[in-house]
Amino acid sequence: MLQSRLFTKTRKELPADEASKNAQLLIRAGYVHKEMAGAYSFLPLGLRVLERIKGIVREEMNGIGGQEIIMTALQRKELWERTNRWDDKQVDIWFKSQLKSGGDVGFGWSHEEPITDMMKSFIGSYRDLPVYVYQFQTKLRNELRAKSGLMRGREFVMKDLYSYSANEEEHRAFYEAVTAAYMRVFERIGLGDKTFFTFASGGAFTEFSHEFQTLTDAGEDVIYLHRGKKIAVNKEVLSEKVLDELGLKQSELEEVRAAEVGNIFSFGGKKSEELGLMFRDEKGEQKPAILGSYGIGITRAMGVLAELFADERGIVWPKEVAPYDVHLLLLPSDDEAVEKEASALYERLQNEGIHVLYDERKGVSAGEKFADADLIGIPVRAVISEKSMKAGGIEVKGRTEEKAVVMDAKKLLSLLKK
Ligand code: ATP
Ligand code: MG
């Protein structure tokens, strides 16, 4: 990508009316545009990061047998009434509207009800089970406070996966497979060290649901962490009884702030019963399918990344989610050979399948280019200038490194392919 063609611009000044660090950085670097509190548009750079995160999640979901779909955002009142989740007293974040032709609709904040109803068309016998389906979808939630940037949107991208199993054993096995896949996701996007499996309230079979909590001061949750065992307990369920059950001692726990990047939940057979998703088992008996529901906050994870991976100059993307592999900078020069060299390198890197953002902008000083590169936060910066050419190559530097190293194109390529 030629940077001169990128319609977005970086901004030096902090956006007024934006209190959160993640959104400030992402707006200043041109990743997102704030439409209103809790609603952000994704610009070319931001979309690339979003798609990379989704790509990793998609691989892991496919890896455990998930099939991707997209459900509708418009939802029927009648379904949610059957499970007692339509009333604003039960679910306080509904966006609702009326159809011109008459009747109410809800805007999807979650999808257990419509997907369970839909599955009645496809599941009738134990032979049809298990079924694992997932989607990436923009959820709409009328959140009272939306001050945490991407971390709490009124409109945000979630990956939601639903499992339908014939019995508890099958359900539990998949629940564990999802747990492991989620840990791989957080590992791969760079949050592995800071993300902990956390016991929280709700859930059938065990008395818990489970959250994946990433340590950050920008998080809205308080959890009690056992670093050694790498597990945590959400404040909402902390009690002597629960600690005993989990074999934890209060004195060994640290109180820390965290953001919930994922949540997995077992509904048992209840929702299928309420909505009539029954199947015939081997003996010909009618049974409700067992439902598990598993979410990852895709845009929240991106916000958390911007919170955690940044310094005073801007964002520092982990390699796996960065919008480009390398930021190539052509510094101003009167010598045409410099631009030729940089453009040739741009071509060569692209031919090798490397994703390059090439800052070939004219009339922009070296200092501005460096500042923009730091703000945008691509992991590797490669500079071509008169100086680098005299030194015999390209000045290459990791985003957080202080000193650049001069190398030739071949060396740069092997570094980028690692
Ligand atoms: P929270 O407790 O933070 O309000 P939740 O428990 O309501 O979240 P779920 O319904 O379990 O969230 O949604 C699954 C995942 O979607 C969450 O783990 C979180 O990562 C993400 N998520 C939930 N609400 C938001 C939001 N308003 N903005 C961005 N991501 C969200
Ligand atoms: Mg939750």
Side-chain angles (χ1 to χ4, degrees):
M1 177 75 193
L2 300 178
Q3 202 165 330
S4 66
R5 300 257 178 88
L6 205 57
F7 73 84
T8 56
K9 293 190 175 70
T10 59
R11 293 163 50 165
K12 283 197 187 65
E13 73 289 0
L14 291 182
D17 81 331
E18 181 57 72
S20 84
K21 175 181 161 188
N22 67 81
Q24 282 183 353
L25 282 170
L26 292 166
I27 291 169
R28 284 184 53 215
Y31 284 88
V32 302
H33 171 78
K34 184 176 188 171
E35 194 58 39
M36 63 178 91
Y40 298 87
S41 298
F42 282 76
L43 305 174
L45 290 174
L47 185 60
R48 290 183 74 95
V49 175
L50 194 68
E51 290 301 323
R52 288 202 76 182
I53 299 173
K54 282 166 64 179
I56 290 171
V57 173
R58 181 176 281 123
E59 273 178 29
E60 295 295 344
M61 295 303 102
N62 290 345
I64 54 173
Q67 300 180 54
E68 188 169 354
I69 61 168
I70 300 185
M71 300 284 291
T72 66
L74 294 181
Q75 299 187 339
R76 282 177 289 157
K77 168 183 175 182
E78 170 237 330
L79 292 180
W80 293 87
E81 276 180 338
R82 265 193 259 161
T83 60
N84 196 27
R85 293 215 287 180
W86 176 258
D87 197 320
D88 292 339
K89 286 190 208 78
Q90 303 298 328
V91 173
D92 62 3
I93 41 81
W94 267 117
F95 278 113
K96 295 174 179 172
S97 188
Q98 281 82 42
L99 295 172
K100 286 229 165 116
S101 56
D104 295 312
V105 282
F107 299 133
W109 62 276
S110 189
H111 280 75
E112 287 89 3
E113 275 72 354
I115 199 167
T116 300
D117 185 64
M118 181 180 88
M119 283 302 167
K120 288 172 10 195
S121 306
F122 306 108
I123 296 172
S125 138
Y126 68 93
R127 289 195 191 86
D128 302 324
L129 293 170
V131 172
Y132 310 129
V133 282
Y134 73 97
Q135 62 178 345
F136 293 96
Q137 223 216 18
T138 299
K139 304 288 183 206
L140 298 163
R141 293 188 182 185
N142 203 342
E143 304 274 3
L144 186 58
R145 269 174 283 278
K147 291 185 182 156
S148 303
L150 268 64
M151 292 171 61
R152 184 164 298 281
R154 294 190 162 111
E155 186 176 329
F156 63 95
V157 180
M158 191 200 288
K159 184 287 301 168
D160 40 332
L161 163 73
Y162 303 91
S163 68
Y164 295 91
S165 305
N167 57 56
E168 195 179 322
E169 207 184 357
E170 193 175 274
H171 169 75
R172 275 177 193 270
F174 187 70
Y175 197 90
E176 275 169 32
V178 176
T179 302
Y182 271 31
M183 286 320 287
R184 286 195 296 274
V185 164
F186 296 121
E187 193 69 47
R188 288 178 65 185
I189 66 174
L191 296 176
D193 293 348
K194 295 201 169 206
T195 302
F196 295 92
F197 187 68
T198 303
F199 294 82
S201 68
F205 304 129
T206 67
E207 56 178 306
F208 302 110
S209 73
H210 299 96
E211 297 170 341
F212 295 78
Q213 292 275 3
T214 307
L215 304 191
T216 166
D217 289 338
E220 294 177 16
D221 290 15
V222 172
I223 59 167
Y224 293 84
L225 170 65
H226 193 296
R227 271 191 207 266
K229 294 188 173 162
K230 285 183 167 282
I231 53 173
V233 180
N234 195 305
K235 191 175 186 175
E236 61 185 22
V237 294
L238 188 79
S239 70
E240 270 316 313
K241 182 176 161 281
V242 165
L243 291 180
D244 279 354
E245 241 174 88
L246 300 174
L248 297 171
K249 287 204 194 80
Q250 175 103 47
S251 60
E252 293 169 352
L253 302 180
E254 255 174 84
E255 185 186 274
V256 286
R257 283 198 87 80
E260 179 198 310
V261 288
N263 190 357
I264 64 179
F265 200 94
S266 173
F267 280 93
K270 186 161 181 284
K271 205 159 288 288
S272 294
E273 243 162 61
E274 288 166 339
L275 291 161
L277 175 57
M278 309 298 283
F279 70 94
R280 260 175 286 85
D281 72 3
E282 284 97 326
K283 295 181 202 124
E285 276 171 41
Q286 290 288 311
K287 285 197 173 149
I290 294 171
L291 170 65
S293 172
Y294 317 83
I296 290 184
I298 301 290
T299 43
R300 179 177 289 181
M302 181 167 161
V304 170
L305 285 165
E307 290 284 337
L308 293 176
F309 296 95
D311 59 19
E312 62 298 337
R313 300 196 303 256
I315 306 172
V316 184
W317 291 114
K319 191 170 162 236
E320 293 70 17
V321 300
Y324 291 91
D325 303 320
V326 58
H327 202 162
L328 174 61
L329 272 51
L330 161 68
L331 299 193
S333 163
D334 295 331
D335 183 353
E336 271 174 29
V338 179
E339 179 169 1
K340 260 207 185 124
E341 183 81 7
S343 298
L345 179 62
Y346 175 56
E347 291 300 323
R348 178 160 174 199
L349 292 172
Q350 290 206 113
N351 289 340
E352 296 281 344
I354 306 282
H355 301 290
V356 192
L357 180 61
Y358 176 27
D359 187 355
E360 31 57 279
R361 291 176 299 169
K362 299 273 189 289
V364 179
S365 72
E368 278 175 84
K369 291 195 176 195
F370 290 144
D372 279 355
D374 282 345
L375 184 57
I376 292 170
I378 293 166
V380 178
R381 190 185 81 184
V383 173
I384 293 198
S385 64
E386 282 172 34
K387 184 170 148 248
S388 82
M389 283 175 68
K390 275 193 199 108
I394 312 151
E395 284 177 355
V396 178
K397 175 179 108 51
R399 170 62 181 77
T400 53
E401 287 162 15
E402 282 310 315
K403 272 208 152 51
V405 175
V406 178
M407 59 181 74
D408 61 14
K410 201 166 155 223
K411 181 101 186 287
L412 174 61
L413 255 172
S414 72
L415 183 114
L416 291 169
K417 285 195 162 171
K418 249 196 256 165

